[in-house]
Amino acid sequence: MENLHAIDLTLLGGALLILLGIASSLLARRFGAPLLLVFLLLGLLLGEDGIGGIRYDDTRFTYLVGALALAVILFDGGLRTRAAQVRGSVAPALVLASVGVVMTAALAGLAASKLLDLPPLEALLLGTIVASTDAAAVFFLLRAGGLHLQRRSGATLEIESGSNDPAAVFLTVALTTWISARHAGLETPGALAVALQLAWAVAAGLGLGYAGGRAIVHVLNRYSLPSGLHPWLALASAVSLFGLTNLVGGSGYLAVYLAGIVVANRPVRARADLLSVQDAATWFAQLVMFLLLGLLASPRELAKVLWPALGVAAFLMFVARPVAVFACLLPFRYRWQEMGFISWVGLRGAVGIFLASIPLLAGLPHARLYFNVAFLVVLVSLLVQGWTLARAAHRFGVAVPRADPNTRRIQLDLPGQLDYEMVGYRVAENSAVLRGGALPGRVRLAMVVRAGEVLLAGDHGALRANDYVYFVAPAEQAPRLDWLFAEGAEAREAEQDAFGQFTLPGHVPLGELAAFYGLPIPRRFAGSTTTQVFGEHFDGQPQVGDRVVLGPAVLVVRSLDDAGVAQVGLRFAGVGERLISGANSARR
């Protein structure tokens, strides 16, 4: 019976920890604190030296949970990456994720050798542990609070944080093996052998990641599973891919991130359910990982290395990271404001503490020192950089002044096909749809639910406040409906985000418009009107919401008449949206 009670107490304790995490997330949102910092501090508070008094020192289990959590988080990061939005940022981000990590590790190692009096190789190991930006921190904080960044800055940060883990993990393992062999008096691996292992890890990660992503898409679309199982199939497949890639010596982290990108950019069944489950799984993974890492730390031991660790953290934030970012991104002609912001948002998170557990597992002499310094560096990074992320984005001028519409969208798959979904909204007072806002192209009203009665299209009359409306819409166009149903004062902001602040008639000559705003356009369009340009781009059948990108500006079809495009909206896009040629603009 005592064993049964012990199991019950363990289950109760685990459930209470999750409830505490949920409660702390509510407080974090209210006071603007980075949620990951709250989880980390909660683990520290519940540990052996805190009020909880929980004694926890299982490094092996922590490593296992950390690896699983990072796989889930990176897969989720890939699922949120649309190829059209990151095109043009891939090369610089990958340079930053590889060369940048090495440069940051070397510079941070230099500071560690001076501040902690470590031998060069051990100082380099510590620098490598804290060198990479953390995917969990970046993905979460960039999406928290409705912050939107200019396209190139946001894409660079997300790709870098999602793809720099392989370099950091490989270098940490290689240096740990090297130092361990030297302490044991064994032969150390040569530089050529290490380089070949790294090349194989990247190649296997890329190959298996792409193949695994295509396999996940194929299985999701081919087999009809019981309701709710598709997201778990995708998640379990991603974790399986992670383990398989690691077994053959590849980078499992790179593989799951790439697999997520492949799934995100292919037509796939149950996409809305998949993203919903991933949201919950990622949140839970972050909660468990940060709680365990907090429990593993000891405030008394942290206090012993507080000042040197703060020195390493400051050097990392103000010297090592900026030097690496400017060196890697200057050749790609990034603006100094973009590079300044990317330098500041080199967030350290669970990856650094997780990597510090590798020397602990190997039993290196200074392993506990690495862990404590890494923990404090992460704590400072989340506290200083995480808490100031939104202000830094506005200060450097890379924040896009856009508010997410306050709408609640319901998306349902339509069996038998992959191109359309059913999308539902509640009609709010003063929403644009009540003022005659037009539906985006290829969106059709399916039914209206009014006062508990289902009314089919054509039988509902004029829409009314508090109606529930359901549309059949292409999956990629569903978010464009949000502006129609935004509530109250946010309705105008959402409308401006969709169509821009300026409304122009369709007969405006494109050449005059381009000359006034200094926009690049192909010469053959100089004498054409916006109506003619949209008609040519979209085979004479433009729809509301279709767009053409002209340098920093975007023209959006706002309304139609018998002659074609009656009105266009003009808005200015983030850095990175460019028109390669008029014919390349396509309906999204």
Side-chain angles (χ1 to χ4, degrees), residues 471-535:
F471 301 94
V472 175
E476 296 302 318
Q477 287 199 355
R480 294 191 192 175
L481 286 165
D482 289 353
W483 75 274
L484 286 169
F485 298 92
E487 300 179 12
E490 294 183 347
R492 182 61 181 165
E493 293 181 9
E495 183 178 0
Q496 288 182 354
D497 179 54
F499 296 107
Q501 294 181 329
F502 307 104
T503 300
L504 306 171
H507 58 71
V508 171
L510 195 60
E512 293 182 11
L513 186 67
F516 184 81
Y517 286 103
L519 306 177
I521 61 170
R523 288 185 181 179
R524 63 192 182 93
F525 290 140
S528 302
T529 65
T530 55
T531 299
Q532 292 169 333
V533 170
F534 275 102

Side-chain angles (χ1 to χ4, degrees), residues 445-450 455-464 467 469:
L445 179 66
M447 63 181 180
V448 176
V449 179
R450 178 178 297 154
L455 304 173
L456 298 179
D459 299 334
H460 58 82
L463 292 178
R464 305 173 190 172
D467 283 349
V469 294

Side-chain angles (χ1 to χ4, degrees), residues 223-233 269-270 273:
Y223 298 103
S224 297
L225 300 174
S227 178
L229 289 186
H230 287 91
W232 296 106
L233 170 65
R269 179 185 293 170
D273 290 342

